[in-house]
Amino acid sequence: MPGSLLDAAAVIGCPHGGRVTPATTPSGGALSQGVAVATAAHGYVVTGCPHTVAGVPSPCVLVRWTADGSGVTVDGAPVLLDTSAAQCFSAAFVPQGPPLVQAAQRKVTVR
């Protein structure tokens, strides 16, 4: 599936306006504009989500990505693309919609 590589510098948000960031800093042998490429092995957290259900706060707190089988791996883990399937979840693991990835052109280098 075509798409741009995700890395720690990618601008990602939850569907309600929260900010999605890596829980762990991606590292490995592939760089995208000097930043390590993200893989399915990395966790992502959400901060600042204002989502409520019936007036009760239910913010997105984490994102789970599904690598799309492009066959490209870094350190044995599939890379994440801006087109990879993903879902934001509340603290109770209730699905709350897919994250929004800001489109960007990325140049790849291999160390």
Side-chain angles (χ1 to χ4, degrees), residues 15-16 49-60 88-97:
H16 315 104
C49 175
H51 185 56
T52 61
V53 175
V56 177
S58 181
C60 297
C88 295
F89 290 90
S90 70
F93 297 105
V94 175
Q96 306 210 105

Side-chain angles (χ1 to χ4, degrees), residues 17-106:
R19 181 174 181 208
V20 177
T21 56
T24 56
T25 303
S27 63
L31 299 178
S32 173
Q33 296 182 339
V35 180
V37 172
T39 71
H42 300 106
Y44 281 78
V45 296
V46 182
T47 55
C49 175
H51 185 56
T52 61
V53 175
V56 177
S58 181
C60 297
V61 297
L62 67 97
V63 177
R64 289 194 177 155
W65 296 87
T66 303
D68 35 23
S70 67
V72 178
T73 62
V74 172
D75 294 337
V79 297
L80 295 178
L81 305 175
D82 59 0
T83 55
S84 297
Q87 186 68 240
C88 295
F89 290 90
S90 70
F93 297 105
V94 175
Q96 306 210 105
L100 308 171
V101 180
Q102 184 177 21
Q105 283 293 86
R106 305 260 186 228

